[in-house]
């Protein structure tokens, strides 16, 4: 690769208000920030590093957010001044295509995407776990005396955990809460129980992603569990991962004569000369839902196994090579089209935006705007309608923003 200098990007902003510089067009980066990029750009003869390329690692840095033109840099745009003519390789999270476009548009970045960490379930712990036990005991209990004691304990636990902020009591204050009827309190406890189930199953990113590392079996299982939810059991997921390992071993041992033999048998099947192919492997059949799910799971595992291409893509772009484009997004939200990673991601996919859901909701919103305007203006239609299209939300929701 050559000589490498690793450093932390200088801090940006005004002391006490680090985000201010991002929104103040009249402010400039401080001298230390400018000096870092100046040193990288300057040749060794001029006392600089003579950098041939700069690699920004991770989402996201600050150089593309500096004051200047929001679209189409000019020489008075600070991101342009900092980077100059240095090629900018930007290793960026695949699930944030909206902000990655800033790295392209204002930072001239060639993006190399990396995968998100495996998913985990939030679960319940400490006071929340205790509250769940109290709620289950209350809902399965018999007799008014025992339930009355649990009622006070549940109220106290909900107050300590802040649950009452998310699941409000029908009462207005603590004094009224104690006077709730059994029917009202039972209904509220049922709502709390449903909220705890939702909280326990909530997904979060578990750990960190290692650039260019193939996921372990445990991590593959985590991805598939989050993707399929209850549609596939743990045993089925384990069988898919095991089948993927067997397939890799088989592919590694595949020889050219074996392939030629397979091809000959395949061709013979069209002439009825091979029973195995004419009635077996190449014969069409009605796949069950389980078969389709397993095929999809196998595809996902195979694509996740290509995480190793992330490092390959970084080396390739440093060598002046071409990085394949791909839509950015999240596996759970956008499906398998965002895999494999190690790609030069883009945000707007005309085949996915607007989605069918966004189109339907947009139509309802438009009709409602017209209905309200006609009602308020004696049946007169609006002459103009302004719509705020917020880029980040529009991209992430495929047009629902």
């Amino acid at each position: 690769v050559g000589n490498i200098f690793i450093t932390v990007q200088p801090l940006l902003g005004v002391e006490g208000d680090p985000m201010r510089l991002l929104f103040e067009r009249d402010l400039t980066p401080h001298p230390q920030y400018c000096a870092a990029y100046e040193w990288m750009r300057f040749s060794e003869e001029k006392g600089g590093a003579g950098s041939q390329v700069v690699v920004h690692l991770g989402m996201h840095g600050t150089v593309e957010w500096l004051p200047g033109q929001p679209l189409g840099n000019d020489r008075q745009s600070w991101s342009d001044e900092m980077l100059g003519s240095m090629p900018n390789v930007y290793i960026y999270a695949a699930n944030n295509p909206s902000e990655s476009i800033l790295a392209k548009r204002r930072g001239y970045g060639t993006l190399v995407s990396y995968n998100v960490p495996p998913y985990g379930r939030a679960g319940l712990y400490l006071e929340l776990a205790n509250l769940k036990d109290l709620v289950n005991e209350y809902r399965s209990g018999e007799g008014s005396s025992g339930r009355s004691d649990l009622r006070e304990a549940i109220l106290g636990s909900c107050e300590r955990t802040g649950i009452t902020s998310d699941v409000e009591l029908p009462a207005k204050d603590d004094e009224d809460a104690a006077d709730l009827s059994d029917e009202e309190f039972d209904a509220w406890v049922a709502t709390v129980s449903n909220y705890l189930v939702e909280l326990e199953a909530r997904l979060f990113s578990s750990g960190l992603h290692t650039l260019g590392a193939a996921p372990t079996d445990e991590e593959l299982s985590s991805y598939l569990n989050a993707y399929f939810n209850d549609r596939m059991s743990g045993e089925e997921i384990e069988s898919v991962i095991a089948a993927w390992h067997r397939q890799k071993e088989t592919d590694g041992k595949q020889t050219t004569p074996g392939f030629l033999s397979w091809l000959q048998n395949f061709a013979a099947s069209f002439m009825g000369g091979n029973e195995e192919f004419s009635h077996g492997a190449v014969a069409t059949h009605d796949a069950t839902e389980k078969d389709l799910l397993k095929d999809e799971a196998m595809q996902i595992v195979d694509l996740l196994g290509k995480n190793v291409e992330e490092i390959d893509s970084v080396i390739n772009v440093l060598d002046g090579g071409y990085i394949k484009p791909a839509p950015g997004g999240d596996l759970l939200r956008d499906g398998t089209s965002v895999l494999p990673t190690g790609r030069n991601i883009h945000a707007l996919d005309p085949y996915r935006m607007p989605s069918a859901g966004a189109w339907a909701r947009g139509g309802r919103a438009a009709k409602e705007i017209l209905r309200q305007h006609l009602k308020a203006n004696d049946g007169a239609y609006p002459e103009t309608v302004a719509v705020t299209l917020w880029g980040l939300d529009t991209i992430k929701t495929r047009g629902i923003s």
Side-chain angles (χ1 to χ4, degrees), residues 190-214:
T191 306
V192 170
S193 178
N194 292 334
Y195 179 78
L196 290 174
V197 170
E198 179 183 338
L199 198 63
E200 187 175 14
R202 188 165 292 172
L203 290 169
F204 70 100
S205 292
S206 177
L208 297 172
H209 172 68
T210 302
L211 186 71

Side-chain angles (χ1 to χ4, degrees), residues 6 16 33 37 64 72 100 102 125 127 157 185 247 307 318 338 352 382 401:
I6 301 175
Y33 191 96
Y37 281 93
E64 67 267 26
S100 73
L102 268 295
Y125 51 91
E127 188 71 35
S157 183
F185 191 78
Q247 179 180 302
N307 280 358
L318 291 176
V338 303
R352 294 191 298 163
S401 176

Side-chain angles (χ1 to χ4, degrees), residues 11-13 21 27-34 66-67 78-79 82:
L11 294 176
L12 178 66
L21 187 60
L27 293 179
T28 62
H30 54 74
Q32 295 92 331
Y33 191 96
C34 297
L66 294 176
W78 279 98
S79 53
M82 295 298 100

Side-chain angles (χ1 to χ4, degrees), residues 350-364 397-400:
Y351 296 101
R352 294 191 298 163
M353 187 182 301
S355 66
W359 183 266
R361 291 183 181 92
R364 289 199 299 270
T397 60
R398 288 186 282 178
I400 296 179

Side-chain angles (χ1 to χ4, degrees), residues 254-314:
Q254 185 94 34
T255 60
T256 302
F259 172 74
L260 290 176
S261 174
W262 180 92
L263 190 60
Q264 290 170 351
N265 290 333
F266 179 77
S269 68
F270 289 96
M271 297 178 289
N274 188 297
E275 291 295 321
E276 175 188 357
F277 278 87
S278 59
H279 298 291
V282 296
T284 59
H285 63 281
D286 295 329
T288 66
E289 183 180 359
K290 288 292 184 183
D291 293 331
L292 296 175
L293 288 177
K294 287 182 179 180
D295 289 344
E296 187 178 9
M298 182 69 82
Q299 180 191 15
I300 292 172
V301 169
D302 188 54
L303 291 171
L304 288 170
K306 295 181 179 179
N307 280 358
V308 293
E309 296 181 8
E310 294 169 351
I311 287 288
D312 296 338
S313 293
V314 174

